[in-house]
Amino acid sequence: MAKLAQTAGLTEIQQEILATVRTFVDKEILPHANALEHDDVYPQDIVDGMKEMGLFGLTIPEEYGGLGESLLTYALVVEQIARGWMSVSGVINTHFIVAYMINKHGTPEQKQRYLPRMATGEVRGSFSMSEPDLGSDVAAIKTKAVQDGDEYVIDGAKMWLTNGGTSNLTAVLVRTDEGAPKPHQNLTTFLVEKPTGYGEVAPGLVVPGKIDKMGYKGVDTTELVFSGFRVPGEQILGGKRGAGFAQMMDGVEVGRVNVAARGCGIALRAFELAIEYAQQRTTFGKPIAEHQAIAFKLAEMATKVEAAHLMMVNAARLKDAGTRNDVEAGMAKLMASEFAAEVTQEAFRIHGGYGYSKEYEIERLMREAPFLLIGEGTSEIQKTIISRGLLKEYKLR
């Protein structure tokens, strides 16, 4: 049989891209990931290498200087990067979502202004929906933008921005006074330009500093505090007030495919570590892989890795075909994130006491995998999306 997580029907270009990324992961990420993660150090050299490879412009159209590749290609690249170190995939994920939203919903001027520089990595994107007391109830956003002539004044606090300190363009979802009866129709997306760094980076805009996390280290996760911050009206995404919720949900939909890909990458790496260790570690006179208890674990782990990969690929291909894929993306994210946690835990068990040591890579994966259970919507949110879609499709006439 072929090794796990292989994808049928790829073009030669896709195969070449993946081979290049896989080599980069093996040589430039895996040997350094543990040390960088334990010290919570931003992986600047790795990021510079991804810039040189053109990964920041992977899905940006060629007319704007990108590679013009599909969501599937991007998801498979993310799977490989997450296999090396999930934090690195986080560096490009929010950037990708913002670029996608600008390309899909931006004005011609916004596309021309940002996409060429996003393709090179000169402009780095982040986005923010969540707030300190918001949770999954996106329509209850409190951060508000009030029009003042040709500008808007933003006040409020946003939370959980990946790349919050290292990005210089942030897509921010805020409340505007549209007078619409439904709360989500009163939300608008602004493209906020800002300097990198921490503290008061611009008048009325503070990035307090990195949030200290259990895992997902290296990449910066921050708050964003607005206090009388002024932004030109031309920075409204697509020039459409009240369209922010739909724009963000479209971005999150492709983001869920990305999170599914990250789950696939972590699960694949956990399996690789487990099956390697199980053939090296001996008990009772033979490798533990030859004990049925361990062999069955490996069989179940491999099946989960393969199933999650196939669902992720299906969701990406549906989106590339222009088909609505909210249910399939939700299913892929749900399965991949849950399986990533389960496979990682089984790999941890197989390692025994050594899995608890920071010298072994599986210890890092054990702290990273739980993040995927909540990123881009919890498992419960995915089940809500899936069940609503099912009830529409199977509604009794």
Side-chain angles (χ1 to χ4, degrees):
M1 61 166 285
K3 288 188 175 181
L4 298 178
Q6 302 299 305
T7 309
L10 297 181
T11 65
E12 287 187 12
I13 293 177
Q14 288 175 314
Q15 292 175 21
E16 290 174 5
I17 291 173
L18 286 176
T20 301
V21 171
R22 193 177 297 113
T23 299
F24 179 78
V25 168
D26 289 340
K27 291 185 176 180
E28 305 298 333
I29 297 182
L30 279 172
H32 310 290
N34 267 20
L36 291 171
E37 198 273 347
H38 289 161
D39 293 337
D40 199 6
V41 174
Y42 187 78
Q44 188 60 58
D45 290 343
I46 295 173
V47 171
D48 291 342
M50 293 195 299
K51 284 183 181 179
E52 293 178 9
M53 294 167 64
L55 294 187
F56 284 92
L58 187 61
T59 61
I60 293 174
E62 293 181 8
E63 62 185 292
Y64 298 112
L67 298 179
E69 275 296 325
S70 64
L71 175 60
L72 174 62
T73 305
Y74 179 78
L76 295 175
V77 165
V78 166
E79 181 181 40
Q80 286 300 317
I81 292 175
R83 171 180 158 266
W85 184 15
M86 190 184 74
S87 292
V88 178
S89 66
V91 171
I92 60 173
N93 177 40
T94 52
H95 175 87
F96 158 71
I97 291 176
V98 175
Y100 170 85
M101 290 169 60
I102 293 173
N103 186 52
K104 181 77 176 292
H105 304 287
T107 64
E109 293 77 15
Q110 289 168 346
K111 294 178 184 179
Q112 194 59 53
R113 180 173 184 175
Y114 294 118
L115 292 180
R117 292 184 295 150
M118 293 186 83
T120 63
E122 175 189 350
V123 170
R124 297 270 302 284
S126 60
F127 79 102
S128 176
M129 293 188 297
S130 188
E131 296 183 357
D133 58 354
L134 186 65
S136 299
D137 187 8
V138 177
I141 279 174
K142 295 179 181 178
T143 300
K144 192 170 185 179
V146 177
Q147 188 170 7
D148 182 16
D150 294 333
E151 295 183 321
Y152 286 78
V153 180
I154 303 179
D155 289 282
K158 309 300 288 185
M159 191 70 173
W160 305 119
L161 280 84
T162 300
N163 298 324
T166 51
S167 62
N168 48 15
L169 179 67
T170 302
V172 182
L173 189 63
V174 302
R175 180 168 300 284
T176 51
D177 186 12
E178 309 302 325
K182 297 181 179 180
H184 70 273
Q185 295 173 337
N186 294 294
L187 301 178
T188 300
T189 301
F190 281 86
L191 299 174
V192 174
E193 295 185 19
K194 68 176 187 65
T196 60
Y198 304 95
E200 188 170 6
V201 295
L205 181 58
V206 174
V207 182
K210 296 198 300 183
I211 297 170
D212 193 15
K213 300 162 296 189
M214 178 178 77
Y216 199 36
K217 294 180 178 291
V219 63
D220 48 304
T221 304
T222 74
E223 297 177 72
L224 197 63
V225 181
F226 296 92
S227 180
F229 179 77
R230 305 185 76 89
V231 59
E234 64 189 25
Q235 294 302 104
I236 293 175
L237 180 60
K240 297 179 180 179
R241 289 176 47 148
F245 183 82
Q247 293 166 344
M248 280 282 184
M249 288 303 103
D250 189 24
V252 168
E253 194 171 285
V254 297
R256 287 187 177 123
V257 175
N258 171 281
V259 173
R262 284 198 258 181
C264 291
I266 286 183
L268 178 59
R269 183 57 182 164
F271 171 80
E272 290 174 346
L273 293 171
I275 199 167
E276 178 181 354
Y277 183 82
Q279 293 175 83
Q280 295 173 340
R281 173 71 166 162
T282 60
T283 61
F284 305 104
K286 60 183 178 180
I288 63 173
E290 295 181 16
H291 294 292
Q292 190 179 72
I294 302 300
F296 280 11
K297 283 183 184 293
L298 293 172
E300 292 174 359
M301 292 163 68
T303 302
K304 290 177 179 179
V305 169
E306 191 71 2
H309 174 83
L310 290 171
M311 289 201 74
M312 178 270 291
V313 168
N314 179 59
R317 280 179 163 155
L318 285 173
K319 190 70 173 180
D320 284 333
T323 303
R324 183 172 178 175
N325 78 332
D326 53 339
V327 170
E328 289 80 6
M331 287 179 171
K333 194 275 178 183
L334 172 64
M335 176 174 281
S337 61
E338 293 287 350
F339 281 0
E342 293 172 13
V343 170
T344 300
Q345 187 175 86
E346 291 297 345
F348 172 79
R349 289 170 183 264
I350 288 172
H351 279 76
Y354 289 106
Y356 209 65
S357 168
K358 285 184 175 289
E359 294 182 15
Y360 282 72
E361 189 179 341
I362 191 63
E363 181 271 341
R364 169 170 61 83
L365 299 186
M366 277 291 291
R367 290 183 289 104
E368 290 178 338
F371 169 76
L372 299 176
L373 298 171
I374 55 176
E376 309 294 8
T378 64
S379 291
E380 288 71 27
I381 288 294
Q382 308 312 317
K383 292 174 184 178
T384 299
I385 293 168
I386 295 165
S387 61
R388 286 176 179 172
L390 292 172
L391 289 170
K392 284 182 181 179
E393 190 67 28
Y394 287 89
K395 185 175 180 179
L396 295 178
R397 306 302 179 188

